[in-house]
Amino acid sequence: MPTITVLGNGRVGGNLAAALTRAGHEVEVADRTPGAASDAARTAQIVINATPGVGSLDRLVALREELRGKILVDVSNAALDGPDGLPADLIYPGSSLAEQLQEALPETRVVKTLNTMLFPVMTAPATLTRAPDAFLSGEDPQAKRIVRELLASLGWRREWITDLGGIRTARATEAAILFVPHVIRSSGFAPFALSIAR
């Protein structure tokens, strides 16, 4: 199994790190101490970006050398919070964080996924009453195959994972963050995910 570094130790990063460890992966979580992200990214084969989307681009561009040739799994959403702390506006309208990352890190294989759900669903998709969907966006087919296997180890069935195509498709899934505040205000902070009815 590939070694994995999770950047971000909040609810999203902590949840992913714990679940991946339970699934048998070798996982390191980079804390905020100076140099921790650099050291952890340097030794990993897969790096998961679970840092807040507002500062993700700057944080990851600073790790350009460490991320060279690696798979960067971006689960973050780049949105500005409204007065109630919930997402209100996209930071990159007409683009996406994933596209910005791929452009800034051309020698890194960026794959966008798991950003269309509340964080508990990322690692426990079968707990929802209906099958959720996880979407993949990225330019490198091999990287997407590896990420698909990673998702399978978290309980995602093959038929629940949809490859949308190149990295440009991430702007569609990132825009889904604008649904989140309205769903939470309507139904409370209960796990949910986007799902395509077929």
Side-chain angles (χ1 to χ4, degrees), residues 138-151:
E139 298 299 324
D140 190 289
Q142 182 187 23
K144 286 192 283 188
R145 281 195 297 270
I146 292 170
V147 173
R148 188 183 287 271
E149 293 169 6
L150 199 66
L151 296 184

Side-chain angles (χ1 to χ4, degrees), residues 14-169:
N15 181 50
L16 282 168
L20 289 165
T21 300
R22 287 194 301 271
H25 296 280
E26 183 181 339
V27 181
E28 183 173 357
V29 178
D31 60 27
R32 296 182 182 224
T33 58
S38 177
D39 293 341
R42 186 178 295 112
T43 58
Q45 294 164 289
I46 297 174
V47 176
I48 298 176
N49 175 40
T51 66
V54 173
S56 285
L57 186 59
D58 289 340
R59 288 186 188 96
L60 292 164
V61 168
L63 300 174
R64 179 182 283 106
E65 291 305 314
E66 292 86 347
L67 293 171
R68 188 186 304 275
K70 309 287 177 70
I71 296 173
L72 176 62
V73 182
D74 180 32
V75 303
S76 185
N77 279 305
L80 297 170
D81 289 341
D84 58 0
L86 295 174
D89 290 299
L90 299 176
I91 295 175
Y92 304 109
S95 183
S96 63
L97 173 59
E99 289 173 87
Q100 298 295 315
L101 288 169
Q102 188 62 86
E103 182 178 353
L105 303 167
E107 296 182 72
T108 301
R109 296 178 288 167
V110 179
V111 178
K112 188 81 181 191
T113 193
L114 296 181
N115 63 305
T116 56
M117 60 200 71
L118 287 191
F119 75 92
V121 182
M122 294 178 176
T123 58
T127 58
L128 296 182
T129 57
R130 298 179 187 174
D133 280 280
F135 303 101
L136 300 176
S137 298
E139 298 299 324
D140 190 289
Q142 182 187 23
K144 286 192 283 188
R145 281 195 297 270
I146 292 170
V147 173
R148 188 183 287 271
E149 293 169 6
L150 199 66
L151 296 184
S153 74
L154 293 174
W156 286 90
R157 297 180 187 172
R158 183 172 54 85
E159 63 269 24
W160 297 350
I161 304 171
T162 300
D163 185 345
L164 296 179
I167 201 68
R168 193 174 188 273
T169 64

